[in-house]
Amino acid sequence: MNSNNKLNISFIGLGKMGYPMAGHLTNRYNVKVFNRTINKSQKWIQEFNGQISNSINEVVKNADVVITCLLDDQSLQETIFQPQKTIFDFMKSNSIFIDHTTASYSLTCKLAKLAEQKKIIIFDAPTSGGKIGAEKGNLSIMVGGNQNKFNFIKPILSCYAHSISFIGKNGSGQLAKIANQICVAGIFQGLAEAIHFIKKTGLDGKIVIEALSQGAAQSWQMNHRAMQMLTEKFDIQATVDMFLKDLRICLKESENFNLKLPMTQSTEKYFHLLHENGWGYDDCATLIRLFDQHLIP
């Protein structure tokens, strides 16, 4: 801990969500960031009061807490595993590692075992709320890990989250995120079909959306994505490819538990179709295009 009694927190991954999340931390803690694309770090340091590092090993060296917010399993593995070493070898004994990546359950459990061997306290803490939630500091976080240390990390996570839930042992946070994405998949598909129906029946979309948002059909996705689907003016919050990655994790893990997820499987096919049509980097709300452009098989 720094002499000014503030925790030293290192944040790795300055993507659409990590960038503002790391920024929120600077209000309370000493923050050092690392991003594989250095210009992103340089932009961040111009906006927030922190430090930047040019290497993963250096950024974690004196950290009390290391936080990662990465794209997928591959980027997480590339960050953790060094030649003949892991990132945990460069961290202080009994320091804390928090991973916000939506990663596979199997990789998360593997990292938990490695961290334990190196006397690192690790938490899987996937988030829900997207770019908007990260910017506003009102994400929902599902945490798996050491319950005795959970209260220690809650003030850290509260810098960018309004809901922080301890789910259970390591890997439990990722399983809860899978359940979250299963719910979101159904809402996305239902919302796109509803907006398509509204358009084709000649209803006043704004009036109908306002009415629906006051009743049982109300959801976060309706509040933030319905008007985008109606007007086809998309503000990128979470990309098609990102959500497609999450859906594939859902389906893979469901197979491991011998479960069938027919609705999620259907939505995965639709998002794969968006990807094939060149919309992978567009917002998830572009799902409406499949209906409006008669691309549904």
Side-chain angles (χ1 to χ4, degrees), residues 60-61 92 101 119 158 162 195 199 237 268 284:
V60 305
K61 188 175 180 181
K92 297 189 300 184
T101 310
K119 296 184 179 179
S158 69
H162 74 94
I195 299 300
K199 288 180 178 181
Q237 303 297 327
E268 188 273 340
C284 290

Side-chain angles (χ1 to χ4, degrees), residues 38 57 85 96 109 130 141 157 186 190 239 260 276 282 287 293:
I38 188 64
N57 297 343
K85 289 182 179 288
I96 290 176
C109 293
I141 302 180
L157 303 183
T239 67
K260 295 185 182 299
E276 285 190 327
D282 291 348
L287 178 59
Q293 297 184 26

Side-chain angles (χ1 to χ4, degrees), residues 8-14 30-36 38 41 44 50-68 79 82 87 90-92 95-97:
N8 292 321
I9 296 181
S10 292
F11 198 103
I12 301 172
L14 300 176
N30 301 313
V31 180
K32 184 181 288 187
V33 301
F34 172 81
N35 195 73
R36 286 187 291 186
I38 188 64
S41 298
W44 185 90
Q51 296 178 291
I52 63 175
S53 178
N54 293 321
S55 77
I56 294 174
N57 297 343
E58 191 275 332
V59 77
V60 305
K61 188 175 180 181
N62 295 309
D64 301 304
V65 179
V66 174
I67 301 175
T68 49
T79 298
Q82 311 294 316
I87 196 175
F90 299 92
M91 293 174 61
K92 297 189 300 184
S95 57
I96 290 176
F97 185 91

Side-chain angles (χ1 to χ4, degrees), residues 68-139:
T68 49
C69 188
L70 302 167
L71 181 65
D72 52 20
D73 276 20
Q74 180 179 339
S75 57
L76 182 57
Q77 291 183 88
E78 290 172 353
T79 298
I80 299 297
F81 296 101
Q82 311 294 316
Q84 299 180 337
K85 289 182 179 288
T86 70
I87 196 175
F88 305 130
D89 290 300
F90 299 92
M91 293 174 61
K92 297 189 300 184
S93 180
N94 296 314
S95 57
I96 290 176
F97 185 91
I98 302 170
D99 180 34
H100 289 309
T101 310
T102 297
S104 66
Y105 175 71
S106 56
L107 177 58
T108 297
C109 293
K110 178 181 179 180
L111 296 182
K113 290 180 181 178
L114 288 173
E116 183 180 5
Q117 292 170 4
K118 301 297 181 180
K119 296 184 179 179
I120 303 298
I121 302 162
I122 187 170
F123 293 92
D124 49 289
T127 67
S128 180
K131 182 181 174 223
I132 292 176
E135 291 174 343
K136 293 184 177 180
N138 61 2
L139 292 168

